[in-house]
Amino acid sequence: MASLNVGNLGEYLREQRRAAQLSLRQLADATGVSNPYLSQIERGLRKPSADVLQQVAKALRISAETLYVRAGILDEREREELETRAVILADPSINERQKNVLLQIYDSFRRENGFVPGPDADADADADGDAGPRKDEGPRKGAGPRTGDDAGADATEDQDPHS
C-alpha cells in the first residue's frame, strides 16, 4: 500500500500515544478502534474518518480539531474559530445569555475583518432571541453586554431619578 499524505497525522498520533504512555493495544481498547487499523493510521496507510479521530482524541486527551486539521478535514482558521467558540461556551463563570452575547460580538468582529462566521454562529448567537443585532439590522448603538448597574438602565446619566 502506498502512503497517503495526511499532514503527518500518523507521526503526530504516534508521538501523542507515546507521550500518553499507551501501547497501540491500549489505545485500541480505549477507542474501540482495532489495533491493526490504528497501526495503519500511524504508518500513513489509512486516512481515518472524523469519528475515528474524535475517539482517538478523546482517548489521548487532545484536541479533536487539531487532528482534523492534520488529517485535512478542517482548515486551520476553522479550527481556531471552533476552539474559540468552545472556550466561550465552556466558561462556567458566565451565564448562557452572556455567552450568546459574547459569541455575537465575536462574529461581528470577524465579519468586520472579512471572515464569514462558521455554520453554528447564527444558531449560537440567536439562542436567547434578544441579544444583539439581527442579520437584517445594523449594529445597535453601544451594543455590548450590559452588566452591573447599567444592565437595565436606558436613562441618561444626567436624568434625575426622583423627578
Side-chain angles (χ1 to χ4, degrees), residues 11-111:
E11 293 173 24
Y12 180 75
L13 284 176
R14 181 178 290 125
E15 290 171 14
Q16 295 301 310
R17 178 178 58 78
R18 288 180 176 163
Q21 299 180 341
L22 292 173
S23 69
L24 260 177
R25 186 164 287 134
Q26 289 170 319
L27 183 58
D29 290 342
T31 61
V33 177
S34 75
N35 184 4
Y37 188 68
L38 289 174
S39 175
Q40 290 173 347
I41 293 169
E42 283 191 0
R43 290 182 288 139
L45 302 175
R46 297 275 185 199
K47 183 174 179 178
S49 69
D51 288 339
V52 168
L53 290 175
Q54 186 173 17
Q55 291 169 285
V56 170
K58 186 175 179 182
L60 294 175
R61 296 179 183 204
I62 59 177
S63 164
E65 288 80 9
T66 298
L67 295 184
Y68 297 160
V69 170
R70 287 185 176 263
I73 295 172
L74 187 65
D75 178 82
E76 181 68 22
R77 284 185 179 156
E78 292 173 316
R79 179 189 67 83
E80 291 169 359
E81 180 184 354
L82 287 172
E83 287 180 350
T84 301
R85 289 179 177 287
V87 168
I88 291 169
L89 292 170
D91 189 336
S93 67
I94 58 177
N95 66 39
E96 292 305 309
R97 189 189 71 74
Q98 292 167 330
K99 291 175 186 181
N100 288 329
V101 170
L102 192 52
L103 287 171
Q104 286 182 340
I105 293 168
Y106 175 67
D107 289 337
S108 172
F109 286 148
R110 287 182 53 83
R111 277 192 298 273

